[in-house]
């Protein structure tokens, strides 16, 4: 048989792909079955949305932004069913190829190979398919028939048949047998059972290859040295002795590491990495062996093909063991690999020194004689190697037997786990761990399945046992999560702290412990622990940003994060600092929210984005929020979305809408009513409506609000409620503002003016302003006179105020443009006023901006429309001019009753003389 080019290409692809997958999981993802995910939850932080400065009284208007914290949770081990099917297919294709090559063996070796195949199928537990009864032998008989019948036929009568035909026939027989097993088996998902138990066949085939290539690395290196030093007369005895010594010492270190007796301060590489040099150098060794030896089991091409198939199956086995988390199987494979390498390499080196030392340095082609003749002397290498393996096995206390038992238990447990038979899987996983402790998947799966089976006590016992005897991060996370769920927070903290002593700086433990520290008011420890972590884990960095913001230490990172949660926390930190976020960050978040499926993150994202002053038309944003709220998946966040809509309205300057909607939210959501009412009160106070603001604060207190501060005391005073001011001071230990002890009478004059600013006629306030001494408070009143009372001032008065303001704080172009033409019907004049005030373009958005309300009235000539505008504004504003115009519009609309009622209400804060003046003046 000649090795064809097609076979070489397929073999190369088979080996390279298996090697790449094996290396990936060995280097980058050594435990792919572990399923630790970050679960998110929201917390809120009050950020300064706006700042209110009323003379000596200042306070922020705060709204809630969301911080997204992430807590690591250990979820059920991942199921890689597709990968199991792929590996099973690879194993059976490899087995078919080996059986096809077996037909080319000489008679004795063919019989030995057939016996080994029968033993292998017997050990693979395929009788568990229960065809014909519990553990009946029919599955084994079917497989033996499907594989051995074509095998025997070709060996006896089909020797001249082309190998490709043999392969196809054996393939058809083998896979037909497998199909029959799947169809006839009464168990649940027999295809999964077959796929999982194919691991035993793949393992044994790879193990046979390892034992066959026992000295492949040393012999391959020796052959390369001999070739390189041909005709040079170099002393290669020293070279091969030095290399052999280093290799044997490395194997000894790996053996100590496998036994757990190594105390090096640095990690040791996995023994599985030896497979690659073993396969490559073994190919060189096998090539020389088949060229030099006369007594071979078959042709050289068959032997080389077997080497390539075995090499590929060994690499794919590593992939499967890693992917399935079958740690006993992996450990067994590593133990036998090291044992065989040590035994066979040692005796091959002895074989070299004993038989070829005299000619080793001659410079001749000694690489061509190391296997010639293929005599009893070489068999001593195999016998000595096997004896060494037995000695090492005895030294290791026969651990390989325990590992083999644990491997088979894991295989069966994986089958039950994948078909959701939790009780059977938990029993088998627990049994596997009890037999062999280095089995992290089994212990975790046992505890997780017990929790699913409503047996938390047993689950916790297993987890505690694991932490004591064989600690692992996922078990610590699961135990702390369970204890936290049972409100045993300090117990959860204890195990996380213990875990960090075992796994220092482990990011999952650091993260969860920091979050629990904050729950028990250990905020300083939480921040310190998270800050000192050396991990670059994005979850940890995101939580650190959120935690700093939560603790009042917000920081904005110079490098903007890439994931949505980190960006939301970054935006919240920026908002907490009252910074304007970068346009790149805002656009990135908006883009990610369009594709986001988590209702929680969608809700948090739009809240944080809309928590800044934005006077642009909010209608599109409000319609969008309303459409979000109508989605079934957003039902749990409906109130929060409505609150976001309120904030967006407020950002656009829609005070009427914001206050009314906040009161609506307080009514519909009693648990948060205190927050909504105090926010409404702050908005009203910002607009100098202190009486309504005070009433809102009183209502908020009735709902549980206790966060009274100095500015609340001042607002109650300005609202004419000194008794309430005294009450909150005593009840909530409110400190008095510093201006109370100030001897400057200007402050008190200022507060007297500002306390009834809206109810007072513009000319009266102007006269009071002129008597004030030159200071910042006089400037404040001048600005507010124009903002709130421009509609009642003459052009000369406005120019006087504008000149004063310009002299104090500098020229104001928009203000100057307005006072030069203070016609509230003129669009340009109104736009100048809006630009200077930084108000909404909607004239009626803020009922306290009386000049804009008058502008809206003057633009509309219909008396009924005018009345409706004025009526809406006077629900809030007690400006006498608005009220008198409302009365006039009501009479013109034939609403005399409403006019009379409004007149009686107006008399409550306007004196008869002022009322007569209002009625006689043409505003």
């Amino acid at each position: 048989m000649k090795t064809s080019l097609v076979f070489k290409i397929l073999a190369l692809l088979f080996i390279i792909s298996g090697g790449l997958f094996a290396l990936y999981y060995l280097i980058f993802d050594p435990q792919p079955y572990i399923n630790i995910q970050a679960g998110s939850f929201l917390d809120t932080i009050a950020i300064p949305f706006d700042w209110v400065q009323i003379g000596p009284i200042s306070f922020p208007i705060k709204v809630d932004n969301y911080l997204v914290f992430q807590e690591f949770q250990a979820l059920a081990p991942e199921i890689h069913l597709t990968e199991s099917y792929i590996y099973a297919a690879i194993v059976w294709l490899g087995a078919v190829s080996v059986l096809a090559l077996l037909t080319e063996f000489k008679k004795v070796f063919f019989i030995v190979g057939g016996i080994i195949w029968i033993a292998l199928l017997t050990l693979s537990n395929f009788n568990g398919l229960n065809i014909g009864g519990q553990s009946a032998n029919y599955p084994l008989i079917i497989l033996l028939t499907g594989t051995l019948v074509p095998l025997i036929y070709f060996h006896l009568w089909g020797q001249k048949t082309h190998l490709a035909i043999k392969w196809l026939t054996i393939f058809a027989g083998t896979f037909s047998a497998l199909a029959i097993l799947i169809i006839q088996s009464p168990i649940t998902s027999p295809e999964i059972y077959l796929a999982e138990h194919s691991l035993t066949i793949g393992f044994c085939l790879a193990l046979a290859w390892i034992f066959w290539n026992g000295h492949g690395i040393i012999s391959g290196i020796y052959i390369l040295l001999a070739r390189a030093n041909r005709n040079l007369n170099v002393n290669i005895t020293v070279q091969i002795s030095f290399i052999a010594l280093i290799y044997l010492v490395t194997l000894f270190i790996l053996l100590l590491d496998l036994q757990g007796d190594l105390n090096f301060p640095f990690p040791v590489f996995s023994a599985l990495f030896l497979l690659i040099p073993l396969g490559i150098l073994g190919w060189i060794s096998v090539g020389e062996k088949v060229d030099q030896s006369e007594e071979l089991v078959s042709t050289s091409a068959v032997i080389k093909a077997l080497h390539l198939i075995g090499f590929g199956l060994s690499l794919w086995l590593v992939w499967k063991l890693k992917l399935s988390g079958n740690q006993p199987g992996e450990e067994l494979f590593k133990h036998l690999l090291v044992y065989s390498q040590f035994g066979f390499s040692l005796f091959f080196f002895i074989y070299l020194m004993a038989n070829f030392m005299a000619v080793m340095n001659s410079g001749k082609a000694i690489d061509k004689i190391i296997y010639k003749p293929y005599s009893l002397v070489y068999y001593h290498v195999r016998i000595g190697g096997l004896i060494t393996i037995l000695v090492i096995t005895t030294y290791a206390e026969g651990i390989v037997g325990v590992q083999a038992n644990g491997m088979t238990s894991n295989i069966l447990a994986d089958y039950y786990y994948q078909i959701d038979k939790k009780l059977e899987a938990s029993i088998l996983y627990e049994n596997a761990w009890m037999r062999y402790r280095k089995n992290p998947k089994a212990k975790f799966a046992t505890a997780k399945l017990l929790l699913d089976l409503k047996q938390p006590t047993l689950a916790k016992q297993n987890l505690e046992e694991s932490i004591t005897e064989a600690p692992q991060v996922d078990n610590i996370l699961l135990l702390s999560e369970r204890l936290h769920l049972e409100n045993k927070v300090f117990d959860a903290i204890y195990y996380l702290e213990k875990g960090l002593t075992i796994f220092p700086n482990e990011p999952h433990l650091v993260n969860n412990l920091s979050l629990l520290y904050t729950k028990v008011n250990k905020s300083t420890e939480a921040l310190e622990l998270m800050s000192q972590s050396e991990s670059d884990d994005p979850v940890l960095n995101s939580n650190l940003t959120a935690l700093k913001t939560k603790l009042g230490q917000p920081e904005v990172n110079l490098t903007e994060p890439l994931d949505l949660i980190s960006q939301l926390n970054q935006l919240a930190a920026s908002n907490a600092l009252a910074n304007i976020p970068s346009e790149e960050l805002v656009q990135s978040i908006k883009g990610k929210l369009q594709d986001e499926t988590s209702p929680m993150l969608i809700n948090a994202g739009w809240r944080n984005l809309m928590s800044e002053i934005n006077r642009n038309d909010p209608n599109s944003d409000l319609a969008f929020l309303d459409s979000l709220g109508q989605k079934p998946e957003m039902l749990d966040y409906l109130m929060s979305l409505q609150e976001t809509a309120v904030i967006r309205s407020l950002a656009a300057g829609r005070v009427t809408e914001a206050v009314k909607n906040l009161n609506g939210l307080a009514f519909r959501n009693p648990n948060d009513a205190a927050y909504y009412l105090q926010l409404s009160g702050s908005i009203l106070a910002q607009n100098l409506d202190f009486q309504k603001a005070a009433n809102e604060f009183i209502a908020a207190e009735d709902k549980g609000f206790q966060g009274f501060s100095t500015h609340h005391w001042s607002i109650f005073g300005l609202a004419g409620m000194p008794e309430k001011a005294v009450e909150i001071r005593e009840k909530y230990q409110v400190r008095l503002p510093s201006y109370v002890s100030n001897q400057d009478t200007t402050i008190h004059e200022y507060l007297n003016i500002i306390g009834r600013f809206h109810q007072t006629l513009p000319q009266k306030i102007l006269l009071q302003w002129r008597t004030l001494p030159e200071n910042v408070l006089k400037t404040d009143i001048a600005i507010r006179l124009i903002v709130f009372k421009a509609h009642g001032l003459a052009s000369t008065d406005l120019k006087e105020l504008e000149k004063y303001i310009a002299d104090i704080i500098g020229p104001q172009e928009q203000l100057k443009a307005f006072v030069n033409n203070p016609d509230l019907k003129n669009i340009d004049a109104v736009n100048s006023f809006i630009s200077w005030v930084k108000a909404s373009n909607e004239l009626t958005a803020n009922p306290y901006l009386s000049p804009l309300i008058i502008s809206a009235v003057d633009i509309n000539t219909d008396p009924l429309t005018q009345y409706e505008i004025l009526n809406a504004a006077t629900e809030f504003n007690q400006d006498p001019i608005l009220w008198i115009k409302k009365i006039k519009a009501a009479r013109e609309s034939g609403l005399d009753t409403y006019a009379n009622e409004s007149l009686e209400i107006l008399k409550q804060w306007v004196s008869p003389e002022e009322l007569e003046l209002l009625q006689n003046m043409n505003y």
Side-chain angles (χ1 to χ4, degrees):
M1 183 196 74
K2 294 184 178 180
T3 307
S4 67
L5 179 61
V6 174
F7 174 78
K8 288 180 179 179
I9 294 172
L10 291 176
L12 191 61
L13 291 174
F14 179 55
I15 292 169
I16 291 175
S17 58
L20 291 175
F21 280 113
L23 286 173
Y24 174 81
Y25 285 108
L26 281 171
I27 298 171
F28 301 109
D29 193 8
Q31 292 180 305
Y33 62 88
I34 290 181
N35 190 11
I36 297 177
Q37 301 291 337
S40 304
F41 63 92
L42 297 180
D43 200 353
T44 56
I45 178 71
I47 62 107
F49 176 78
D50 203 356
W51 187 261
V52 179
Q53 186 74 48
I54 307 173
I57 304 167
S58 62
F59 59 92
I61 292 180
K62 293 185 175 182
V63 298
D64 283 344
N65 263 201
Y66 285 112
L67 298 171
V68 186
F69 286 97
Q70 298 173 84
E71 180 180 25
F72 287 112
Q73 296 176 331
L75 306 179
E78 291 186 354
I79 295 175
H80 300 100
L81 186 56
T82 303
E83 290 82 351
S84 293
Y85 289 146
I86 292 172
Y87 179 73
I90 289 171
V91 166
W92 284 105
L93 288 172
V96 167
S97 301
V98 171
L99 292 174
L101 294 171
L102 188 59
T103 63
E104 302 286 326
F105 277 28
K106 294 176 181 178
K107 184 176 181 180
V108 174
F109 299 108
F110 173 80
I111 294 172
V112 173
I115 293 172
I116 293 173
W117 177 248
I118 294 170
L120 180 54
L121 289 181
T122 304
L123 292 172
S124 297
N125 196 26
F126 291 117
N127 288 343
L129 289 165
N130 296 340
I131 297 175
Q134 190 75 22
S135 298
N137 290 326
Y138 291 108
L140 178 60
I141 294 171
I142 293 171
L143 276 176
L144 289 174
T145 303
T147 56
L148 289 182
V149 168
L151 191 70
I152 295 170
Y153 171 80
F154 286 122
H155 184 74
L156 294 178
W157 301 292
Q159 283 292 336
K160 295 183 179 180
T161 306
H162 194 280
L163 187 62
I165 296 176
K166 292 180 181 180
W167 189 93
L168 289 172
T169 305
I170 296 172
F171 171 84
T174 301
F175 278 82
S176 296
L178 292 173
I180 292 171
L181 294 181
I182 292 172
I183 294 169
Q184 294 299 319
S185 177
I187 68 172
T188 305
S189 302
E191 67 280 2
I192 299 177
Y193 186 94
L194 271 173
E196 291 301 328
H197 283 78
S198 298
L199 175 59
T200 305
I201 294 177
F203 186 92
C204 292
L205 291 174
L207 190 61
W209 179 81
I210 285 174
F211 275 67
W212 177 34
N213 283 275
H215 57 73
I217 291 179
I218 290 296
S219 59
I221 291 174
Y222 174 73
I223 291 168
L224 291 176
L225 283 174
R227 290 176 181 175
N229 292 311
R230 193 177 297 173
N231 300 321
L232 296 178
N233 294 327
V234 176
N235 189 347
I236 65 171
T237 305
V238 175
Q239 296 175 351
I240 191 62
S241 298
F242 181 71
I243 292 171
L245 178 63
I246 291 176
Y247 185 59
L248 291 172
V249 169
T250 301
L251 290 173
F252 184 69
I253 291 172
L254 289 174
L255 178 60
L256 292 178
D257 183 51
L258 291 173
Q259 289 292 106
D261 298 330
L262 192 65
N263 294 315
F264 283 179
F266 51 84
V268 178
F269 68 88
S270 171
L272 297 176
F273 284 106
L274 295 175
L275 290 173
I276 295 176
L278 180 60
I280 296 171
L281 295 171
W283 172 259
I284 298 171
S285 179
V286 167
E288 288 295 337
K289 188 184 298 182
V290 297
D291 290 341
Q292 297 175 29
S293 303
E294 297 177 359
E295 297 294 329
L296 297 174
V297 298
S298 185
T299 63
S300 62
V302 168
I303 294 173
K304 289 180 179 179
L306 284 173
H307 175 84
L308 294 176
I309 293 170
F311 187 19
L313 286 174
S314 298
L315 294 173
W316 281 103
L317 174 65
V318 174
W319 172 70
K320 171 61 177 177
L321 290 173
K322 284 292 184 183
L323 206 62
S324 64
N326 197 325
Q327 195 68 33
E330 181 183 335
E331 294 301 312
L332 175 62
F333 195 57
K334 289 193 290 187
H335 272 258
L336 293 175
L337 174 60
V338 172
Y339 295 178
S340 61
Q341 282 296 293
F342 192 89
F344 292 124
S345 297
L346 174 62
F347 273 84
F348 183 81
F349 176 69
I350 295 172
Y351 164 77
L352 278 180
M353 294 295 105
N355 293 279
F356 303 102
M357 188 173 179
V359 295
M360 197 175 289
N361 303 318
S362 64
K364 297 179 180 179
I366 53 175
D367 54 300
K368 298 297 183 182
I369 62 171
I370 60 172
Y371 296 113
K372 194 173 186 178
Y374 199 80
S375 64
L376 182 63
V377 177
Y378 177 71
Y379 281 116
H380 289 168
V381 174
R382 294 295 182 182
I383 296 169
L386 290 173
I387 293 172
T388 304
I389 291 171
L390 292 174
V391 171
I392 297 175
T393 302
T394 304
Y395 163 74
E397 300 178 347
I399 191 67
V400 291
V402 178
Q403 291 167 339
N405 185 283
M407 181 183 79
T408 55
S409 294
N410 262 43
I411 289 172
L412 189 56
D414 284 346
Y415 162 68
Y416 282 118
Y417 178 69
Q418 291 181 79
I419 64 172
D420 204 30
K421 290 192 175 182
K422 297 180 180 180
L423 180 60
E424 293 86 344
S426 67
I427 294 171
L428 286 164
Y429 278 131
E430 186 172 14
N431 178 65
W433 190 86
M434 292 300 294
R435 289 180 177 274
Y436 187 63
R437 294 291 193 268
K438 194 172 184 181
N439 195 353
K441 176 185 174 180
K443 196 60 173 176
F444 176 81
T446 300
K448 192 68 176 175
L449 289 169
L450 286 171
L451 287 173
D452 292 343
L453 293 167
K454 311 300 181 186
Q455 298 186 45
T457 303
L458 282 176
K460 286 188 291 184
Q461 287 176 358
N462 274 273
L463 293 170
E464 290 166 0
E465 186 179 32
S466 165
I467 293 171
T468 303
E469 298 187 30
Q472 55 195 77
V473 172
D474 50 353
N475 279 352
I476 297 170
L477 291 174
L478 183 60
L479 179 57
S480 64
E481 179 189 346
R482 182 65 198 184
L483 292 169
H484 187 196
L485 190 65
E486 295 174 358
N487 289 323
K488 297 177 181 178
V489 180
F490 289 100
D491 290 345
I493 289 174
Y494 166 77
Y495 282 109
L496 288 171
E497 289 176 337
K498 187 174 181 179
L500 279 177
T501 62
I502 303 168
F503 306 102
N505 291 318
E506 208 290 321
H508 303 97
L509 302 180
V510 168
N511 181 77
N512 286 15
L513 181 57
S514 298
L515 295 179
L516 287 184
Y517 274 159
T518 60
K519 191 166 186 177
V520 296
N521 295 322
K522 289 187 175 181
S523 302
T524 304
E525 291 89 337
L527 193 57
E528 182 180 357
L529 178 64
M530 201 171 281
S531 300
Q532 291 178 351
S533 175
E534 299 173 358
S535 172
D536 289 330
D537 190 288
V539 171
L540 208 60
N541 292 333
S542 175
N543 278 355
L544 179 59
T545 300
L547 187 58
K548 285 182 176 180
T549 306
K550 181 68 178 177
L551 298 178
Q553 304 173 33
E555 292 181 3
V556 176
N557 298 328
L558 296 178
T559 56
E560 291 187 358
L562 299 177
D563 62 289
L564 177 60
I565 291 178
S566 298
Q567 289 180 334
L568 292 180
N569 288 334
Q570 182 88 315
L571 180 57
S574 177
N575 291 341
L577 290 167
N579 291 343
I580 298 175
S582 67
E583 186 62 25
E584 293 81 4
L585 177 63
V586 171
Q587 293 304 320
S588 179
I589 292 175
K590 286 182 177 179
K592 288 183 173 66
L593 287 176
Q594 298 300 323
D595 301 324
E596 183 56 50
T597 57
S598 167
M600 181 186 72
L601 295 182
I602 293 171
N603 167 60
W606 289 112
R607 167 64 62 83
N608 291 5
L609 283 171
M610 294 187 180
S611 296
E612 62 175 350
I613 302 297
N614 178 6
R615 297 305 192 203
N616 294 328
D617 187 352
N619 286 333
S620 60
D621 290 338
L622 295 176
F624 172 71
L625 291 172
D626 183 60
S627 67
L628 279 181
Q630 294 177 13
K631 294 181 179 180
E633 63 270 22
M634 298 299 296
L635 185 61
D636 291 339
Y637 299 95
L638 181 58
M639 285 292 180
S640 180
L641 289 172
Q642 290 176 349
E643 184 181 334
T644 303
V646 170
I647 293 171
R648 180 65 187 94
S649 296
L650 184 61
R654 292 183 174 182
V655 173
T656 304
E657 188 175 292
V659 172
K660 286 185 175 181
N661 287 338
L662 282 172
N663 279 269
L665 285 172
F667 177 77
R668 295 191 299 276
N669 192 8
N671 292 333
D672 293 325
Y675 165 74
Y676 296 131
L677 291 170
Q678 68 81 26
L679 177 57
S680 173
S682 298
I683 296 169
L684 292 168
Q686 180 186 30
N687 287 279
L688 308 185
D689 195 341
F690 301 112
Q691 288 182 346
K692 286 187 176 66
N695 290 330
E696 295 286 80
F697 291 139
I698 292 171
E701 184 185 21
D702 292 339
K703 297 296 183 179
F705 179 68
Q706 297 181 353
F708 287 99
S709 187
T710 302
H711 69 275
H712 293 103
W713 182 90
S714 300
I715 290 169
F716 281 119
L718 291 170
M721 301 180 184
E723 299 83 2
K724 189 62 183 179
V726 172
E727 179 187 332
I728 66 161
R729 179 193 172 193
E730 295 175 350
K731 187 175 181 179
Y732 301 103
Q733 289 77 50
V734 174
R735 294 176 58 185
L736 290 177
S738 58
Y739 67 79
V740 172
S741 57
N742 196 313
Q743 300 300 317
D744 187 358
T745 58
T746 306
I747 295 176
H748 301 287
E749 293 177 20
Y750 171 87
L751 294 176
N752 287 332
I753 296 171
I754 215 72
R756 290 180 50 82
F757 200 89
H758 289 297
Q759 296 96 323
T760 309
L761 290 174
Q763 289 297 331
K764 184 176 181 180
I765 298 175
L766 182 64
L767 293 173
Q768 292 173 320
W769 171 77
R770 287 169 176 161
T771 63
L772 291 174
E774 303 289 334
N775 57 28
V776 293
L777 297 180
K778 184 170 185 176
T779 307
D780 181 282
I781 293 293
I783 293 172
R784 293 182 192 278
L785 265 169
I786 298 177
V787 170
F788 296 113
K789 299 294 185 179
H791 59 294
L793 295 173
S795 176
T796 54
D797 298 332
L798 290 171
K799 289 180 179 179
E800 177 186 358
L801 291 168
E802 184 274 328
K803 183 178 183 304
Y804 180 84
I805 293 169
D807 291 342
I808 300 297
I809 62 176
Q812 306 287 306
E813 293 182 6
Q814 298 296 336
L815 173 59
K816 190 172 185 64
F818 170 69
V819 299
N820 285 337
N821 180 28
D823 182 3
L824 293 176
K825 295 180 182 179
N826 185 279
I827 295 177
D828 293 333
V830 171
N831 286 338
S832 297
F833 180 84
I834 290 172
S835 297
W836 179 67
V837 175
K838 295 183 174 60
S840 169
N841 288 327
E842 301 174 63
L843 300 179
T844 59
N846 187 343
Y848 296 102
L849 293 178
S850 301
L852 295 182
I853 300 298
I854 295 297
S855 176
V857 170
D858 291 346
I859 290 172
N860 287 277
T861 56
D862 178 32
L864 185 58
T865 303
Q866 292 178 336
Y867 173 78
E868 290 173 349
I869 294 171
L870 291 165
N871 188 55
T874 53
E875 287 183 33
F876 295 87
N877 197 343
Q878 292 185 333
D879 183 273
I881 297 175
L882 293 187
W883 278 80
I884 203 67
K885 291 183 77 69
K886 170 187 172 180
I887 294 168
K888 179 182 177 183
R891 295 194 190 283
E892 290 177 355
S893 302
L895 304 173
D896 292 337
T897 303
Y898 291 129
N900 294 333
E901 291 176 356
S902 298
L903 183 60
E904 293 302 315
I905 296 173
L906 179 60
K907 292 177 181 179
Q908 296 175 9
W909 66 85
V910 173
S911 67
E913 295 79 10
E914 292 174 331
L915 181 59
E916 184 179 355
L917 179 64
L918 286 168
Q919 290 173 331
N920 292 333
M921 294 185 69
N922 182 22
Y923 284 104

